[in-house]
Amino acid sequence: MAEFELIQDYFSGLSQPDSQVVLGVGDDCALLQPPAGKRLAMTMDTLIAGRHFLSADHPSGIGYKSLAVNLSDLAAMGAQPAWALLSISLPQIDHSWLEAFVSGFVTLMREQGVQLVGGDTCQGALSITWQLTGFIEPGQEMRRSAARPGDAIYVTGTLGDAALALEMKRAGQDPGELEQRLTRPVPRVEEGRRLGAAGVRSCIDISDGLVADLGHICKQSGCAARVHLNRLPVSPRVRQYLQEGGDFRPVVAGGDDYELCFTASPDSVAHLQDMPVTRIGEILPGEGVELLDGSGNALPLPPAWEHFAS
Ligand code: ADP
Ligand code: MG
C-alpha cells in the first residue's frame, strides 16, 4: 500500500501550523501546545464496518458521522474542540472512496475549528477511529456524576428522529427529511460550551437512547430520575407518528439522537432561553429512571433499542 502518498494526498493538508499546532502530520509525532490554564478533554471512538455502519454506506456519510459522534462527546463535556487524530484501516486504496470520505468530514472539521494533526493508516477490514482533544476551563466540565436531587432534567432539540428514520428505512419507507437526523447529526458543541459556562455540572450526549444515557447519569451520581413522557420534545413528523398510534420506544430508547441531556437547578439555565432546551423531568433520591405517562402512571421501561443495521 502506497501509504505515504495516501497520507500526503488526503490527510496532510488538514492542519495549519499555529501557536498551538507546533507540528502537524508528517513527523513521528505531532507537537501541540495547549493554551495556558486550560484542561484537555480527550475522547476516542471506533466505528467498524458491519457493526456501526455498512461498508456499502456512502463514504461521505461515514466521514461526517464518524467525526460528528466524537464531537458530540466533547460537546457533552462542555469542551471546545481543537485537535484530531484519525486511525483508518482500509481493505484497499480506493481514491473515489477516500475523496468522498474526506469531503464528508472536512467541512464539519473546519466549522468546529478542529485540526487533523496526525493518525495512522493501515490495510485491513474497514474501520475508523477518531481521537479528539478539546479545551476546557478548569471547573466548567460537565460530568455524569454531578447530578443532585432537586435538579431538573433537560434535553436539547428533539428526540426519536434518527430512530424513526432507521425504522422507516428498514420497513422500505422513505424517511424524507428525518433521514438527515440519522445520517448527519449536528453535534451540540456550542450548546455544550454555553451550558458548562452557565454552571451546568452534569450532562451526557444521547447516543444510546434517553433512558439508557440518563441511566448513566443516575448510576454515576447515585440518584434517580423521573421523566414525563408527554414533555419529551419531538419533531412534527415524530408527533404525527405517535398520534397515529406509533410506539414511543424510538423517542425514549431509540438512540443516535446526539442531543444533550443535562441536569441543573432551573435558576441556572433560566437565561438560556434562546437555546432549544426542554425540561423533561427531575432528579430524585434513589436509583434508576422512571417514565411517567400523562396521568402520572409509571410506564414499563423499554429495553435498549436495537439500532445497528446488521
Ligand atoms: P509511523 O510509521 O511513524 O507511525 P506513519 O507512516 O504511520 O508513521 O505516519 C506518518 C505521518 O502521517 C505521521 O505524522 C502520522 O501522524 C500521519 N498520519 C498517518 N495516517 C494518518 C491519517 N489517517 N490521518 C492523519 N494523519 C495520518
Ligand atoms: Mg503509523
Side-chain angles (χ1 to χ4, degrees), residues 3 7 11 24-29 86-88 116-121:
E3 190 186 315
I7 295 166
F11 303 120
V25 169
D27 214 311
D28 297 311
C29 294
L86 171 64
S87 177
I88 178 161
L116 182 65
V117 298
D120 197 29
T121 305

mmCIF file of all heavy atoms in Angstrom, residues 3 7 11 24-29 86-88 116-121, ligand 1:
data_model
loop_
_atom_site.group_PDB
_atom_site.id
_atom_site.type_symbol
_atom_site.label_atom_id
_atom_site.label_comp_id
_atom_site.label_asym_id
_atom_site.label_seq_id
_atom_site.Cartn_x
_atom_site.Cartn_y
_atom_site.Cartn_z
ATOM 1 N N GLU A 3 1.304 3.962 1.265
ATOM 2 C CA GLU A 3 0.748 4.638 2.430
ATOM 3 C C GLU A 3 1.193 6.093 2.502
ATOM 4 O O GLU A 3 0.410 6.992 2.816
ATOM 5 C CB GLU A 3 1.210 3.857 3.667
ATOM 6 C CG GLU A 3 0.542 4.266 4.946
ATOM 7 C CD GLU A 3 1.155 3.538 6.137
ATOM 8 O OE1 GLU A 3 1.368 2.313 6.041
ATOM 9 O OE2 GLU A 3 1.444 4.207 7.130
ATOM 10 N N ILE A 7 -1.351 9.323 2.644
ATOM 11 C CA ILE A 7 -1.388 10.276 3.766
ATOM 12 C C ILE A 7 -1.165 11.693 3.234
ATOM 13 O O ILE A 7 -1.886 12.632 3.578
ATOM 14 C CB ILE A 7 -0.321 9.911 4.820
ATOM 15 C CG1 ILE A 7 -0.657 8.549 5.450
ATOM 16 C CG2 ILE A 7 -0.212 10.989 5.892
ATOM 17 C CD1 ILE A 7 0.486 7.936 6.254
ATOM 18 N N PHE A 11 -4.564 13.471 3.916
ATOM 19 C CA PHE A 11 -4.636 13.826 5.336
ATOM 20 C C PHE A 11 -3.639 14.885 5.803
ATOM 21 O O PHE A 11 -3.755 15.388 6.910
ATOM 22 C CB PHE A 11 -4.460 12.559 6.194
ATOM 23 C CG PHE A 11 -5.470 11.493 5.894
ATOM 24 C CD1 PHE A 11 -5.080 10.235 5.454
ATOM 25 C CD2 PHE A 11 -6.829 11.754 6.038
ATOM 26 C CE1 PHE A 11 -6.032 9.252 5.178
ATOM 27 C CE2 PHE A 11 -7.779 10.776 5.753
ATOM 28 C CZ PHE A 11 -7.378 9.525 5.320
ATOM 29 N N GLY A 24 2.269 19.371 12.772
ATOM 30 C CA GLY A 24 1.117 18.521 12.471
ATOM 31 C C GLY A 24 1.547 17.206 11.827
ATOM 32 O O GLY A 24 2.538 16.592 12.225
ATOM 33 N N VAL A 25 0.779 16.780 10.811
ATOM 34 C CA VAL A 25 1.032 15.499 10.134
ATOM 35 C C VAL A 25 2.413 15.482 9.478
ATOM 36 O O VAL A 25 2.829 16.475 8.880
ATOM 37 C CB VAL A 25 -0.053 15.268 9.054
ATOM 38 C CG1 VAL A 25 0.305 14.091 8.147
ATOM 39 C CG2 VAL A 25 -1.407 15.044 9.711
ATOM 40 N N GLY A 26 3.130 14.375 9.572
ATOM 41 C CA GLY A 26 4.347 14.193 8.794
ATOM 42 C C GLY A 26 5.559 13.737 9.576
ATOM 43 O O GLY A 26 6.473 13.149 9.014
ATOM 44 N N ASP A 27 5.588 13.990 10.857
ATOM 45 C CA ASP A 27 6.738 13.528 11.654
ATOM 46 C C ASP A 27 6.297 12.309 12.472
ATOM 47 O O ASP A 27 5.207 11.786 12.295
ATOM 48 C CB ASP A 27 7.229 14.671 12.560
ATOM 49 C CG ASP A 27 8.743 14.619 12.737
ATOM 50 O OD1 ASP A 27 9.261 13.533 13.056
ATOM 51 O OD2 ASP A 27 9.399 15.661 12.561
ATOM 52 N N ASP A 28 7.153 11.866 13.353
ATOM 53 C CA ASP A 28 6.810 10.696 14.160
ATOM 54 C C ASP A 28 5.674 10.991 15.135
ATOM 55 O O ASP A 28 4.910 10.103 15.503
ATOM 56 C CB ASP A 28 8.039 10.202 14.930
ATOM 57 C CG ASP A 28 9.127 9.753 13.961
ATOM 58 O OD1 ASP A 28 8.803 8.985 13.041
ATOM 59 O OD2 ASP A 28 10.284 10.191 14.108
ATOM 60 N N CYS A 29 5.619 12.233 15.567
ATOM 61 C CA CYS A 29 4.541 12.670 16.472
ATOM 62 C C CYS A 29 4.106 14.069 16.061
ATOM 63 O O CYS A 29 4.878 14.812 15.457
ATOM 64 C CB CYS A 29 5.030 12.778 17.923
ATOM 65 S SG CYS A 29 5.485 11.234 18.692
ATOM 66 N N LEU A 86 -6.669 10.582 13.476
ATOM 67 C CA LEU A 86 -7.540 9.688 12.716
ATOM 68 C C LEU A 86 -6.797 8.405 12.385
ATOM 69 O O LEU A 86 -5.776 8.437 11.703
ATOM 70 C CB LEU A 86 -7.978 10.379 11.414
ATOM 71 C CG LEU A 86 -8.717 9.514 10.394
ATOM 72 C CD1 LEU A 86 -10.047 9.021 10.937
ATOM 73 C CD2 LEU A 86 -8.944 10.300 9.098
ATOM 74 N N SER A 87 -7.302 7.285 12.884
ATOM 75 C CA SER A 87 -6.722 5.992 12.517
ATOM 76 C C SER A 87 -7.704 5.290 11.598
ATOM 77 O O SER A 87 -8.869 5.113 11.949
ATOM 78 C CB SER A 87 -6.470 5.161 13.775
ATOM 79 O OG SER A 87 -5.986 3.893 13.394
ATOM 80 N N ILE A 88 -7.224 4.933 10.421
ATOM 81 C CA ILE A 88 -8.133 4.332 9.445
ATOM 82 C C ILE A 88 -7.536 3.048 8.894
ATOM 83 O O ILE A 88 -6.350 2.994 8.551
ATOM 84 C CB ILE A 88 -8.500 5.361 8.343
ATOM 85 C CG1 ILE A 88 -9.416 4.738 7.300
ATOM 86 C CG2 ILE A 88 -7.300 5.983 7.674
ATOM 87 C CD1 ILE A 88 -10.162 5.771 6.496
ATOM 88 N N LEU A 116 -6.577 18.392 12.010
ATOM 89 C CA LEU A 116 -6.153 16.983 11.958
ATOM 90 C C LEU A 116 -4.633 16.966 12.071
ATOM 91 O O LEU A 116 -3.921 17.339 11.144
ATOM 92 C CB LEU A 116 -6.602 16.334 10.648
ATOM 93 C CG LEU A 116 -6.253 14.843 10.506
ATOM 94 C CD1 LEU A 116 -6.982 14.002 11.540
ATOM 95 C CD2 LEU A 116 -6.577 14.336 9.101
ATOM 96 N N VAL A 117 -4.132 16.544 13.223
ATOM 97 C CA VAL A 117 -2.695 16.677 13.497
ATOM 98 C C VAL A 117 -1.929 15.368 13.350
ATOM 99 O O VAL A 117 -0.704 15.352 13.487
ATOM 100 C CB VAL A 117 -2.454 17.275 14.904
ATOM 101 C CG1 VAL A 117 -3.052 18.684 14.994
ATOM 102 C CG2 VAL A 117 -3.029 16.376 15.989
ATOM 103 N N GLY A 118 -2.629 14.270 13.078
ATOM 104 C CA GLY A 118 -1.914 13.010 12.908
ATOM 105 C C GLY A 118 -2.861 11.841 12.863
ATOM 106 O O GLY A 118 -4.080 12.014 12.877
ATOM 107 N N GLY A 119 -2.282 10.651 12.792
ATOM 108 C CA GLY A 119 -3.117 9.464 12.755
ATOM 109 C C GLY A 119 -2.336 8.251 12.342
ATOM 110 O O GLY A 119 -1.108 8.197 12.502
ATOM 111 N N ASP A 120 -3.043 7.287 11.819
ATOM 112 C CA ASP A 120 -2.413 6.064 11.357
ATOM 113 C C ASP A 120 -3.237 5.531 10.201
ATOM 114 O O ASP A 120 -4.457 5.720 10.165
ATOM 115 C CB ASP A 120 -2.330 5.045 12.507
ATOM 116 C CG ASP A 120 -1.331 3.944 12.203
ATOM 117 O OD1 ASP A 120 -0.361 4.193 11.461
ATOM 118 O OD2 ASP A 120 -1.530 2.825 12.699
ATOM 119 N N THR A 121 -2.562 4.871 9.263
ATOM 120 C CA THR A 121 -3.242 4.323 8.096
ATOM 121 C C THR A 121 -2.735 2.914 7.877
ATOM 122 O O THR A 121 -1.521 2.712 7.845
ATOM 123 C CB THR A 121 -2.930 5.191 6.849
ATOM 124 O OG1 THR A 121 -3.288 6.551 7.141
ATOM 125 C CG2 THR A 121 -3.699 4.710 5.635
HETATM 126 P P1 ADP B 1 4.906 5.924 11.717
HETATM 127 O O1 ADP B 1 5.386 4.734 10.948
HETATM 128 O O2 ADP B 1 5.991 6.723 12.385
HETATM 129 O O3 ADP B 1 3.747 5.629 12.596
HETATM 130 P P2 ADP B 1 3.134 6.768 9.656
HETATM 131 O O4 ADP B 1 3.599 6.434 8.280
HETATM 132 O O5 ADP B 1 2.096 5.900 10.298
HETATM 133 O O6 ADP B 1 4.402 6.929 10.589
HETATM 134 O O7 ADP B 1 2.591 8.246 9.664
HETATM 135 C C1 ADP B 1 3.331 9.295 9.096
HETATM 136 C C2 ADP B 1 2.696 10.592 9.474
HETATM 137 O O8 ADP B 1 1.384 10.665 8.913
HETATM 138 C C3 ADP B 1 2.523 10.768 10.975
HETATM 139 O O9 ADP B 1 2.730 12.139 11.275
HETATM 140 C C4 ADP B 1 1.088 10.382 11.218
HETATM 141 O O10 ADP B 1 0.544 11.054 12.341
HETATM 142 C C5 ADP B 1 0.418 10.842 9.927
HETATM 143 N N1 ADP B 1 -0.751 10.021 9.551
HETATM 144 C C6 ADP B 1 -0.798 8.722 9.212
HETATM 145 N N2 ADP B 1 -2.038 8.324 8.905
HETATM 146 C C7 ADP B 1 -2.834 9.399 9.087
HETATM 147 C C8 ADP B 1 -4.231 9.653 8.964
HETATM 148 N N3 ADP B 1 -5.103 8.692 8.596
HETATM 149 N N4 ADP B 1 -4.681 10.886 9.237
HETATM 150 C C9 ADP B 1 -3.832 11.850 9.624
HETATM 151 N N5 ADP B 1 -2.511 11.707 9.747
HETATM 152 C C10 ADP B 1 -2.002 10.493 9.489
#
